[in-house]
Amino acid sequence: MSLNRPWRLVLLGVTVYLIGLLINFPAARAYAWLAPLRADAPVRITARGLSGTVWKGAAEQLTVGTIPLGRVNWSLAPAALLTGRLAVDWSARKDEAYLSGRAAVAPGGRAGLSRVEGRLPVGELLRFAPP
């Protein structure tokens, strides 16, 4: 029984270390490492001026498809991990437009947005209208 105790402490230490690495992992480095996955994504996402960490950071310019979102800030929602989902609270600001919400990915690849709110000038809103 006494041999199990040191191994439990080692496992706990390694787990805490790995969580610490994730929390402090630079967003710019993660973006660079994920380049091969981004190339195969159905929607192209590009970011410039990344700062902060994977856990909490910002991009000076984020573009999704052909839509420039401007400055985007994010923060991972740790409580969602307890339900098996990866969730991020985000906000985007470009000129007079402002959007915020939560993006989440569930097991099986289901993704969605919730709590979305914002302010868009009519000219920007018309870009999303069907022809």
Side-chain angles (χ1 to χ4, degrees), residues 25-99:
F25 197 75
R29 184 167 295 166
Y31 182 77
W33 281 3
L34 294 173
L37 293 176
R38 289 193 330 266
D40 295 335
V43 176
R44 184 176 171 94
I45 298 174
T46 57
R48 285 182 291 169
L50 289 165
S51 62
T53 66
V54 170
W55 193 268
K56 184 175 185 169
E60 285 300 319
Q61 176 62 47
L62 187 78
T63 304
V64 177
T66 60
I67 302 169
L69 298 177
R71 180 174 175 79
V72 175
N73 297 297
W74 68 83
S75 178
L76 285 177
L81 294 173
L82 298 174
T83 63
R85 294 178 305 125
L86 178 63
V88 177
D89 293 320
W90 56 271
S91 64
R93 181 175 298 280
K94 181 176 182 260
D95 302 326
E96 296 175 26
Y98 173 80
L99 290 171

